[in-house]
């Protein structure tokens, strides 16, 4: 079981990224795992994912006597995410890591019905620097600073031709956590808190009207765990709570008396999987991510209420280099919007690769 101590099997990349695309308000694209802090020695990795969600809606009404007829068409575009991370030791007890990722994003575009032309794009890039200290061989504490760059634009033609475009803003935050581990049993539990990150944008609405916009990306708490259960077999998972009511987009000149984007409930995402070391070089894993429905009205930006994503992955090591790859398939939770449009039978597929190097 000690071969799992470095958590070398690919158990986080695909399920976390694709599961977030299925749920988490429809805009979270990458699960910020602390896995890299437990890699031995110096370690460098690069990752890439490609996800293709498919979701259509029907029905509803913009106003009394103004029905929405026909299908919206597929409203989600495929997307790719890149990531990189580096970890090294400063002393026997003190280590550090840098993580670059793309945590949030949206590529929503309504091709048909009265919604035609309604679109939203959100792009983020974040860099996190972390220090970790081994209080004892079993207890690790860690904390770090995070810089996050965000930019967005949107259009809602049926509301008088409304448009909005923001500048690029950099917000700052931090993260704190602690972990307990027993390496000889491949056992570990890590609890991490990340607060909201505030963004203040200069915006242009209706293509000519200058304004300002405040947006918070939400705070979260994550519990990650793993344990050896038999020779060369590992069970792993996580529970993650995200305070999505903190995320609200309420532009100054938006034509309605309600925010453009808001959420009534927080989301909790559960994951559980099993990994198996087949040989000294080859390992595999299977994971299921589940997010319960909140049964609330959702925004046109991401009308997905919970969901289930399954992921199968393999990892192959040659010397100090490990190549991991996985495929995911998921079911997007049915949802209703405030206009009465019903979104059902959504699906997603995804693939991912990760290259890791100990040196």
């Amino acid at each position: 079981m000690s071969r799992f101590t470095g958590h070398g099997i690919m158990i986080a990349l695909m399920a976390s990224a694709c599961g977030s695309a299925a749920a988490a308000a429809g805009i979270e694209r990458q699960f910020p795992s602390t896995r890299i802090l437990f890699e031995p020695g110096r370690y460098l990795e690069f990752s890439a994912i490609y996800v293709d969600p498919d979701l259509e809606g029907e029905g509803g009404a913009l106003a009394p006597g103004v029905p929405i007829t026909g299908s919206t068409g597929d409203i989600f575009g495929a997307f790719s995410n890149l990531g990189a991370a580096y970890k090294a030791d400063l002393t026997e007890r003190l280590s550090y890591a840098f993580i670059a990722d793309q945590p949030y994003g949206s590529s929503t575009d309504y091709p048909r019905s009265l919604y035609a032309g309604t679109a939203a794009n959100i792009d983020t890039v974040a860099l996190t620097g972390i220090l970790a200290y081994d209080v004892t061989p079993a207890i690790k504490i860690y904390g770090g600073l995070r810089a996050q760059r965000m930019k967005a634009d949107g259009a809602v033609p049926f509301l008088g031709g409304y448009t909005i475009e923001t500048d690029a803003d950099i917000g700052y935050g931090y993260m704190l956590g602690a972990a307990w581990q027993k390496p000889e049993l491949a056992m570990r539990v890590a609890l991490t808190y990340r607060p909201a990150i505030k963004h203040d944008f200069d915006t242009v609405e209706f293509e000519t009207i200058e304004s300002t916009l405040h947006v918070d990306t939400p705070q979260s708490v994550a519990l990650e765990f793993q344990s050896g259960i038999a020779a060369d077999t590992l069970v792993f998972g996580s529970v993650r709570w995200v305070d999505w009511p903190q995320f609200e987009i309420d532009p100054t000149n938006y034509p309605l008396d309600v925010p453009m984007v808001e959420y009534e409930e927080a989301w909790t995402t559960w994951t559980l999987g099993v990994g198996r070391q087949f040989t000294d070089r080859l390992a595999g894993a299977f994971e299921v991510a589940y997010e319960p429905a909140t049964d609330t009205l959702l925004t046109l930006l991401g009308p997905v209420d919970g969901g289930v994503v399954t992921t199968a992955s393999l990892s192959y090591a040659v010397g100090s280099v490990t190549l991991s790859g996985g495929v995911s398939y998921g079911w997007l939770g049915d949802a209703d919007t405030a206009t009465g449009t019903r979104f059902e039978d959504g699906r997603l597929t995804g693939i991912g690769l990760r290259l890791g190097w100990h040196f």
Side-chain angles (χ1 to χ4, degrees), residues 14 35 58 60 86 99 128 163 193 205 254 288 307 354 359:
M14 281 300 301
R35 169 187 50 82
E58 287 195 34
Y86 174 75
I99 302 173
T128 305
T163 62
Y193 171 70
E205 299 177 79
Y254 190 59
V288 177
R354 186 172 70 208
F359 61 100

Side-chain angles (χ1 to χ4, degrees), residues 151-173:
K151 190 178 187 305
D153 62 77
V156 190
F158 63 82
L159 293 179
Y162 180 79
T163 62
I164 183 172
E165 184 173 358
T166 77
D167 68 345
D169 180 75
I170 299 177
Y172 300 92

Side-chain angles (χ1 to χ4, degrees), residues 216-237:
D216 291 344
T217 54
Q219 66 177 341
S220 66
V221 179
L223 179 70
E224 301 172 81
F225 61 89
Q226 68 170 59
S227 177
I229 56 173
D232 297 331
T233 303
L234 182 79
V235 65
F236 58 88

Side-chain angles (χ1 to χ4, degrees), residues 30 61 68 90 103 118 125 134 143 173 191 196 199 206 244 249 262 304 321 326-327 340 344 358:
Q30 204 156 359
I68 302 170
L90 292 171
T118 299
V125 177
D134 293 331
L191 181 67
H199 289 277
F206 287 108
W244 280 105
I249 301 177
E262 65 177 342
V304 177
V321 176
V327 294
E344 296 180 314
H358 288 95

